Each structure stands twice: as C-alpha cells, then as structure tokens.
Amino acid sequence: MTTKQSPPITKIAVDGIRIAQAIAGAENATPILMLHGWGANIGLLWPLAERLVNMGYRVYVPDMPGFGESDHPPVAWTVHDYVRFVLAYADYHHI
C-alpha cells in the first residue's frame, strides 16, 4: 500500500504577490516547472510531481495567483499577466 504525502508548501512573494509553492527533488537535478490550469491548485499536480521526483527530477509547482493558497492579484489578470508571472517565477528560482 502506498501512502500519499502532502506537498511541502512554502510561501514566497513574486512581483509583489504572495504565492504558495511546492518544490521537491535534488537541487542539482533537471528542473521541471509544473503549472496547473484554471480552478486547480498544487494538490492536483502533486501525485505526478512525486513520480517525477522519484525519477530524478526537481519539480517546482506554484499555486498560480488567485488559486489554491496564493493571494489574488489586485485586479483581474489576463493570460498575458499570467505569462509574465510564470517568467518572473522562473527567474526567481533561476530555472
């Protein structure tokens, strides 16, 4: 029987928005940035993230702004705003 582990959630600020994230895997492993879709959160992706860690990858799984445990943006965002956020998140982690 396998047991499900909860994601190791931490909070950081990216471009002034506080977000939740889960990161796992060796620091020198190949990184994978996992992004959830509308209405989802870290929990949806975590079972896959655990499998990728077991395969030797380092996974970065943010709750996108306005979803899960992350703060909401001050105004409604467009797809372009989310793209800018993802780029800023990747820069923050140097991936």
Side-chain angles (χ1 to χ4, degrees):
M1 179 170 127
T2 58
T3 59
K4 289 186 178 183
Q5 300 239 344
S6 296
I9 295 180
T10 59
K11 299 227 176 161
I12 61 169
V14 176
D15 281 353
I17 296 183
R18 201 160 150 75
I19 64 150
Q21 64 175 357
I23 300 172
E27 287 190 28
N28 63 344
T30 301
I32 295 178
L33 175 56
M34 301 179 72
L35 304 175
H36 64 73
W38 242 249
N41 60 30
I42 291 170
L44 180 70
L45 295 176
W46 194 246
L48 176 58
E50 287 181 308
R51 293 184 76 181
L52 291 168
V53 168
N54 289 335
M55 294 171 64
Y57 294 97
R58 181 168 176 84
V59 295
Y60 295 81
V61 191
D63 265 341
M64 299 297 278
F67 298 93
E69 295 183 32
S70 292
D71 290 349
H72 289 265
V75 296
W77 274 12
T78 66
V79 170
H80 299 286
D81 294 316
Y82 281 101
V83 169
R84 280 189 289 276
F85 167 79
V86 169
L87 293 173
Y89 181 84
D91 286 346
Y92 180 94
H93 286 293
H94 308 288
I95 54 175

